[in-house]
Amino acid sequence: METGKTKIAFYDACSYDKESFSEQNKNFLFSIDFFDFHLTEKTALTAAGYDVVCTFVNDTLNKAVIATLKKCGVKMIALRCAGFNNVDLDSAREAGIKIARVPSYSPHSVAEHALAILLALTRKIPQAYLRTRSGNFMLSGLTGRDLNGLTAGVIGTGKIGKVMAECLAGIGMNIIMYDAYPDNEWADQKGFKYIPLIELFQKSDVITLHCPLTDDTKHLINENSLAMMKNDAVIINTGRGALIDSHALVKALKKRTIGGAALDVYEEESRYFFADWSADVIKDDMLSRLLSFPNVIITGHQAFLTTNALKAIADTTLQNIKDFTEKRESKNTLV
Ligand code: NAD
């Protein structure tokens, strides 16, 4: 396959994707068609005639979609994200379709967003912003809490978790961590401590999630773990929505047995996120309920969205496709 002739169907394309990929593609010269709809069982036939499909976190890549892609002649799935919990890897392997991802683009982009929503939550920035916009400079009800001296529990200390732990240490928080595969050398260097998960739930004032979504981590935050937490602990999730059992979280928020949550991801986000629903009715009662709490902040899966990250994502995704077309081994290949 020659680079210039390789045809890419690009799903769920937003304006910033078109800009960053068109700019980086000047170095690759692939033929890219941008589709603003998701790749789903209903839309998969649109891949007919393309060599590669380029997808994001809320595209569907289950057995049925992969079978259709195979029939359409697709040879590669280029994920323009790190997480691949939405991909049936076994079906892709059976179909002989290659998959590559972008394992790292800017861990700082995600960690800085996690820090931003943590501070926005604990200092009530959304409420303060709305007040001053309408000329109300009263401070009652805006009392926050120093994070300095409190304890942060970091779950998942890979690329993003490490940056987040270092950021939180920078504002004077004590760092405790849990990881299924701890990096003890880094922890010793930083003076941070790995502890058992249950202890982390019990001791943390801030719990921040940076592990991948797997069978083991699905609903890691559930009724049991929430019951172990301090009543004023706050949970930050920039990982994947299903790390938290939303039903259990809402229950704890209503009972006031948890201090708040700042969420960049939501377990049923694929229907609503990355789209404008402001003039429509949100039928997901769980999402609406979460949005209604004064101590919950939700952003629409935007932690990755910095110019630095977008440039790196486009560059690595296109390089992954080039490696595939030129039959080069790549460490970013999943299948
Ligand atoms: P990474 O692979 O570098 O780190 C993940 C860490 O989690 C590893 O240290 C791993 O050992 C640990 N881990 C694995 N299983 C675990 C378990 N059962 N319990 C505890 N820890 C476990 O990944 P990363 O680049 O740091 O990204 C972390 C996650 O962040 C990704 O999986 C993705 O879901 C999410 N993410 C979100 C956004 C966003 O925009 N919101 C952007 C990028 C990544």
Side-chain angles (χ1 to χ4, degrees), residues 15 25 36 41 54 60 80 161 167 183 188 216 269 286 298:
S15 55
N25 194 35
D36 57 9
E41 288 174 32
C54 181
T60 308
R80 55 181 194 278
C167 286
D183 182 346
D188 287 349
D216 287 343
E269 71 181 43
M286 191 58 68
I298 297 185

Side-chain angles (χ1 to χ4, degrees), residues 82-83 103 105 110 155-161 178-181 210-212 216-217 238-240 264-265 301 303-304:
Y105 35 92
V110 182
I155 302 182
T157 55
K159 293 174 284 295
I160 297 168
Y178 173 76
D179 195 300
Y181 309 93
H210 303 287
C211 54
D216 287 343
T217 60
T238 59
R240 282 289 180 268
D264 186 49
V265 284
H301 205 139
F304 71 98

